Amino acid sequence: MARLLLALSLLSVVQAWAPSSPLLPARADLRAAASEVQEVIERGEKPSGVAVPCPTEDVEIVRLGEPISVEDVTCEDGEAIFEYWMRMTVQGEQTQEYFSKLMKEAKKNANFPGFKKGQIPPYARPQMVYFCLEEAINTGMLNALDSASVKPLEGENAKAEILEDIKALSKTYKPGSPFTFTAELRAMQAVDGAAALSVSDAAVMDTEVVEPTEEDVASTKVREAIASLDSSLTKDELAEIAKALKQA
């Protein structure tokens, strides 16, 4: 029963604050990557691909592989969908701002059993920190991608995945200090004509070549022969010559 009451109390806080974000599902668990991916992250490595210029500080974005097609998503002319890898450091003042806003709303709406209304018990703090980190990640990613002229797909189509274990981080993280995260997602970007070709575009280009028939060749030869004749001939005389050439 205590766990259920805690969940309901946290829900009331979240519904009141509810910062919206179209990139990651609101209040959904951020998926942790497999152990081998974590090892790559710890080594500070990044995948190979096309580096995407980003004016936002402390952000790296890499475009991975060739264009992909996503069902029910249409690109504008000159745009294509790719998978992206990005690493970003969120500054401490930003997380402090998000955390302060969350705690302010919590004091207005929180109602934890055994505590005064608006009081946040110590055991609920890690969940509040998690909400703060999630909002910092969502907002940071959206702002960075926008500054790089990269448009993330909406909802599940984005396939956005945070590679670090944010829930584990929330247990020790102190709002007001910087933190770095790594993400993968699908997004849309304006590219040159060659890169913008999708699978369907390539299929249109791969059309069957139709060989000319003997009749087509004969007609072409007739036109060429007539064109080489004296221009003073009448239409009837040219018609007779064309008939004779076809019968030859």
Side-chain angles (χ1 to χ4, degrees):
M1 179 61 73
R3 287 188 177 183
L4 176 60
L5 291 174
L6 173 60
L8 292 175
S9 299
L10 287 173
L11 180 61
S12 67
V13 175
V14 173
Q15 288 176 336
W17 188 54
S20 59
S21 174
L23 188 55
L24 295 177
R27 308 283 76 86
D29 290 344
L30 303 179
R31 294 171 289 172
S35 57
E36 59 268 20
V37 178
Q38 292 285 0
E39 292 173 3
V40 173
I41 295 170
E42 290 172 4
R43 292 198 299 267
E45 297 178 1
K46 64 180 179 181
S48 59
V50 178
V52 178
C54 181
T56 303
E57 293 184 0
D58 300 317
V59 176
E60 292 181 282
I61 303 176
V62 177
R63 196 174 72 208
L64 308 175
E66 299 297 322
I68 62 174
S69 59
V70 178
E71 188 176 358
D72 298 328
V73 178
T74 303
C75 297
E76 300 292 336
D77 291 341
E79 292 183 331
I81 300 172
F82 295 88
E83 292 183 341
Y84 293 83
W85 172 96
M86 69 181 295
R87 175 178 290 150
M88 179 176 186
T89 297
V90 180
Q91 299 305 315
E93 54 267 24
Q94 291 175 295
T95 61
Q96 183 61 61
E97 179 183 352
Y98 298 138
F99 188 73
S100 297
K101 288 181 179 179
L102 176 60
M103 295 301 290
K104 184 178 180 179
E105 291 301 323
K107 291 179 180 180
K108 296 179 181 178
N109 301 281
N111 188 15
F112 291 88
F115 291 83
K116 294 180 180 179
K117 187 175 181 180
Q119 186 176 3
I120 307 297
Y123 57 78
R125 183 180 174 85
Q127 189 66 42
M128 299 297 180
V129 174
Y130 176 79
F131 294 156
C132 166
L133 291 173
E134 187 188 61
E135 179 63 16
I137 290 171
N138 273 290
T139 303
M141 287 179 67
L142 289 170
N143 290 341
L145 292 169
D146 182 64
S147 71
S149 298
V150 175
K151 299 187 294 185
L153 303 187
E154 296 184 358
E156 290 296 324
N157 286 330
K159 297 291 183 183
E161 181 175 0
I162 305 304
L163 303 183
E164 289 82 7
D165 190 341
I166 302 301
K167 277 205 168 181
L169 175 63
S170 67
K171 296 177 182 179
T172 57
Y173 176 76
K174 294 182 179 180
S177 56
F179 75 97
T180 300
F181 69 91
T182 315
E184 292 181 350
L185 72 152
R186 292 176 176 178
M188 191 181 302
Q189 184 182 16
V191 291
D192 57 64
L197 286 177
S198 65
V199 176
S200 58
D201 295 326
V204 172
M205 295 179 64
D206 188 20
T207 55
E208 182 181 358
V209 177
V210 179
E211 296 293 337
T213 64
E214 292 183 1
E215 184 178 352
D216 293 332
V217 174
S219 297
T220 301
K221 289 182 178 180
V222 168
R223 288 194 298 271
E224 292 174 350
I226 292 174
S228 64
L229 294 175
D230 189 347
S231 59
S232 63
L233 295 174
T234 64
K235 289 184 179 180
D236 291 339
E237 290 173 330
L238 290 173
E240 288 296 327
I241 293 173
K243 183 178 179 180
L245 287 171
K246 285 186 176 182
Q247 293 175 350

